[in-house]
Amino acid sequence: MQVEKQHRAITTFEEFLTTPLETLLQRHLNTDTSAAALALFHQVAATVPAYKTFLAQQAIDPTQYENFEDFQTLPLLTKENYLLCHPLPNLCRHGQLETCDMIAASSGSTGKPTFWPRFFADEMQIAVRFEQIFHDSFYADTRRTLAVICFALGTWVGGMFTTNCCRYVASKGYPITLITPGNNKEEILRVVQELGSAFEQVVLLGYPPFLKDVIDTGIARGIEWQRYQIKLVMAGEVFSEEWRSLVGERVGSQNACYDSASLYGTADAGVLGNETPLSICIRRFLANHPDAARALFGESRLPTLVQYDPLSRFFEVKDGTLLFSGDNGIPLIRYNILDTGGIISYDAMLKFLAEWGFDPVAEMQNYCGTIHPQDVETLTITSLQNVPALVRGIRSLPFVYVFGRSNFTVSYFGANIYPENVTVGLEQSVIREWVTGKFVLQVQEDADQNRFLSVVVELAPLVEGSEEKRQVIASSILSQLKRLNSEFANYVPADYQMPQVTLAPIGDPEYFPVGVKHRYTRK
């Protein structure tokens, strides 16, 4: 028997169960988060054999690293220079794989599975992310909630990790009940219809394209989604605010800020951050003001925007790439996950928005209606800093924005064209009824070796292509490219701007093979 393991499980679970969410999400305000990251470094350097070896190979004496400036000089960890160089047990504390109780797999970009061990206690800090969503966004502390796990189950990280964390939230006293059909669409539809009416709301948790497919299939079969007060928890892909509005409309959503939330997650370390009502409100403003978005993010595409707890996952930015440090089954220090993005402090975000004349608190009050009833009489709001306890979903946590991997772009006349730009063109009124949302973006050459922008678009079931549809789709994509992508608008000559659209049937084996993870770009 491993008594230390037992004690860690009991202590961590008891702390999660008995500590109010409010307290958990305010710890960073009274703690030096950079000092906590430094302390984690020293712990890992002392207890993880692989990291000891890594530091020795770099001629690094951890005792000489005494402050945060020292910490920032530590070499970065990557999958190639660290995780793939050591036996799995050596990546765990004390070189003991048995200190963990579960192993998940991820295929990554290579297709070869990578294994990620973790212990029950490691899941507690991730459970807080789910509690934050269920409490702040879905009011699940007061509403009987059916949570339907639509992520793939088995060894893959999403389904089992999500299931575990949601059960812990339910154990804390939330009236949440889980069911796990996984990514079996027929079973999802069955359980929602047979069980959904017994609850005040139904939460679907899964990948965005898959959830949209479930919803669209349900509509085709006559399911009245609005009966079930559907909420969505998503992960794995960046999506547009047009997409959020479209899917929300189809399930009868009344409140875009509070009816869905996306997770920034990774197999390497669980959930790193999550959308909040505040971050969604801000992102929707930026989606409608591309100039403001470019000023804030420095690119002509809209990233995922989430908030994070710096005591759980400590972020840094180096050369436009996100690094994080965090404790897990495999503790990671300054790990380069190869995601491009950046971090923005809470105060800096408020200041930036004020300069652009936007007050998200006023927007959330007027549009979202989220003031606690017991606070209405005493509420006086002058700025965001004054109201995190009064408006549900406003927390003074820092922001991280994530573009994802930078290689999922195509270069056209020197302009970087992003799939996110094309997506918005396919989500406009009328067009969205014709297509699934999948496409392949590439730059090709004609017989005279003139380059052109090609977009192969997958048609929705039972929809037939036509020249009229093709032209409408091409014009919509062009309109959004010029609106959202200043490089495209200024670099690409007018005669070459119109994309050449090809319409392909659903499941086309060349561009949209069934059962294969879709790639939106081709080189």
Side-chain angles (χ1 to χ4, degrees):
M1 291 290 289
Q2 296 178 313
V3 177
E4 181 183 350
K5 186 176 180 181
Q6 180 188 64
H7 177 73
R8 184 181 172 212
I10 293 172
T11 302
T12 308
F13 194 38
E14 182 178 24
E15 180 182 359
F16 171 74
L17 292 178
T18 59
T19 306
L21 178 65
E22 192 75 26
T23 302
L24 293 172
L25 297 182
Q26 289 184 344
R27 294 178 305 169
H28 70 287
L29 297 175
N30 301 310
T31 305
D32 185 339
T33 56
S34 59
L38 180 65
L40 177 64
F41 158 70
H42 285 295
Q43 293 170 10
V44 175
T47 60
V48 177
Y51 196 59
K52 287 182 183 179
T53 300
F54 176 81
L55 294 177
Q57 290 170 343
Q58 308 282 334
I60 290 175
D61 178 2
T63 63
Q64 300 300 310
Y65 286 70
E66 300 178 345
N67 54 50
F68 184 59
E69 288 71 24
D70 296 334
F71 178 88
Q72 292 178 301
T73 67
L74 288 167
L76 310 186
L77 299 182
T78 66
K79 185 176 290 187
E80 289 69 28
N81 75 3
Y82 184 63
L83 297 173
L84 299 180
C85 298
H86 301 276
L88 193 59
N90 286 2
L91 296 165
C92 304
R93 293 189 188 277
H94 311 295
Q96 298 174 346
L97 186 58
E98 63 271 21
T99 60
C100 300
D101 61 7
M102 193 161 189
I103 297 175
S106 68
S107 57
S109 57
T110 64
K112 181 180 179 181
T114 301
F115 295 109
W116 302 100
R118 66 180 186 272
F119 181 49
F120 167 84
D122 299 320
E123 297 175 335
M124 290 302 109
Q125 57 187 321
I126 309 304
V128 177
R129 308 277 72 76
F130 285 91
E131 183 183 5
Q132 185 179 359
I133 290 172
F134 275 89
H135 179 278
D136 286 2
S137 297
F138 303 157
Y139 286 69
D141 54 322
T142 61
R143 299 173 183 170
R144 288 177 288 109
T145 301
L146 177 66
V148 184
I149 309 300
C150 305
F151 291 108
L153 302 174
T155 59
W156 308 111
V157 68
M160 294 304 298
F161 209 146
T162 299
T163 300
N164 289 347
C165 289
C166 289
R167 286 197 80 180
Y168 305 146
V169 176
S171 298
K172 195 166 182 175
Y174 288 77
I176 297 171
T177 304
L178 275 73
I179 190 164
T180 55
N183 59 348
N184 184 325
K185 184 165 64 174
E186 295 300 324
E187 187 68 1
I188 294 167
L189 296 173
R190 185 180 73 85
V191 301
V192 169
Q193 291 179 90
E194 294 190 15
L195 298 175
S197 58
F199 296 85
E200 294 174 87
Q201 61 183 355
V202 174
V203 180
L204 304 178
L205 302 96
Y207 294 111
F210 179 71
L211 292 183
K212 181 178 181 294
D213 182 35
V214 169
I215 290 163
D216 289 347
T217 301
I219 292 172
R221 296 184 186 180
I223 294 178
E224 298 177 2
W225 289 108
Q226 60 271 20
R227 291 180 51 199
Y228 305 108
Q229 296 296 309
I230 298 294
K231 308 291 186 283
L232 303 175
V233 175
M234 297 163 288
E237 290 194 15
V238 180
F239 53 82
S240 70
E241 288 307 314
E242 285 84 355
W243 187 94
R244 194 195 307 269
S245 296
L246 166 63
V247 174
E249 177 185 315
R250 292 183 179 177
V251 297
S253 168
Q254 300 297 312
N255 197 321
C257 297
Y258 285 78
D259 287 346
S260 67
S262 184
L263 305 169
Y264 174 29
T266 167
D268 313 52
V271 179
L272 305 177
N274 56 278
E275 281 191 328
T276 63
L278 175 61
S279 75
I280 293 172
C281 183
I282 293 170
R283 190 173 189 259
R284 291 178 74 80
F285 166 78
L286 295 170
N288 290 322
H289 297 81
D291 290 345
R294 279 193 292 272
L296 184 61
F297 303 126
E299 293 201 24
S300 295
R301 52 177 173 158
L302 195 63
T304 295
L305 178 67
V306 303
Q307 291 183 273
Y308 71 98
D309 180 354
L311 280 177
S312 174
R313 297 292 182 259
F314 184 82
F315 277 101
E316 302 171 80
V317 180
K318 184 177 177 63
D319 300 326
T321 300
L322 291 169
L323 317 175
F324 72 83
S325 302
D327 201 358
N328 207 40
I330 296 178
L332 297 169
I333 303 296
R334 308 199 79 211
Y335 183 65
N336 185 356
I337 197 174
L338 303 180
D339 278 340
T340 58
I343 53 179
I344 306 170
S345 72
Y346 181 75
D347 291 338
M349 179 65 84
L350 306 190
K351 183 174 184 293
F352 173 86
L353 294 171
E355 291 170 354
W356 283 83
F358 181 61
D359 180 355
V361 168
E363 181 76 6
M364 292 174 73
Q365 283 182 262
N366 296 333
Y367 175 65
C368 301
T370 57
I371 307 302
H372 286 255
Q374 64 269 31
D375 296 322
V376 169
E377 293 182 3
T378 61
L379 182 60
T380 57
I381 296 180
T382 56
S383 69
L384 272 172
Q385 292 98 323
N386 298 330
V387 296
L390 300 180
V391 180
R392 189 177 289 219
I394 295 182
R395 306 281 187 181
S396 54
L397 293 162
F399 295 83
V400 58
Y401 60 90
V402 191
F403 289 112
R405 308 294 161 85
S406 59
N407 59 341
F408 295 154
T409 64
V410 300
S411 179
Y412 186 52
F413 286 89
N416 287 320
I417 311 297
Y418 305 102
E420 294 91 333
N421 301 155
V422 176
T423 294
V424 176
L426 298 178
E427 291 167 349
Q428 301 305 305
S429 179
V430 180
I431 294 173
R432 64 196 195 187
E433 308 299 331
W434 301 340
V435 301
T436 66
K438 290 182 181 178
F439 59 89
V440 175
L441 173 67
Q442 54 192 330
V443 175
Q444 296 183 315
E445 292 184 349
D446 62 19
D448 293 326
Q449 297 187 341
N450 294 316
R451 305 186 88 200
F452 63 90
L453 191 64
S454 167
V455 185
V456 182
V457 177
E458 185 181 46
L459 291 167
L462 305 179
V463 173
E464 293 186 3
S466 68
E467 178 61 18
E468 180 185 5
K469 288 187 177 75
R470 192 191 69 78
Q471 291 183 10
V472 171
I473 291 171
S475 296
S476 179
I477 292 173
L478 174 61
S479 175
Q480 297 303 323
L481 278 171
K482 291 169 70 175
R483 182 178 75 89
L484 297 169
N485 192 320
S486 59
E487 285 188 357
F488 177 89
N490 290 283
Y491 294 0
V492 181
D495 290 345
Y496 290 86
Q497 287 186 351
M498 180 64 77
Q500 295 193 20
V501 169
T502 303
L503 304 180
I506 190 167
D508 179 85
E510 181 179 357
Y511 287 99
F512 309 105
V514 177
V516 177
K517 186 172 183 179
H518 183 61
R519 290 287 298 266
Y520 288 89
T521 59
R522 287 188 183 179
K523 300 298 184 183

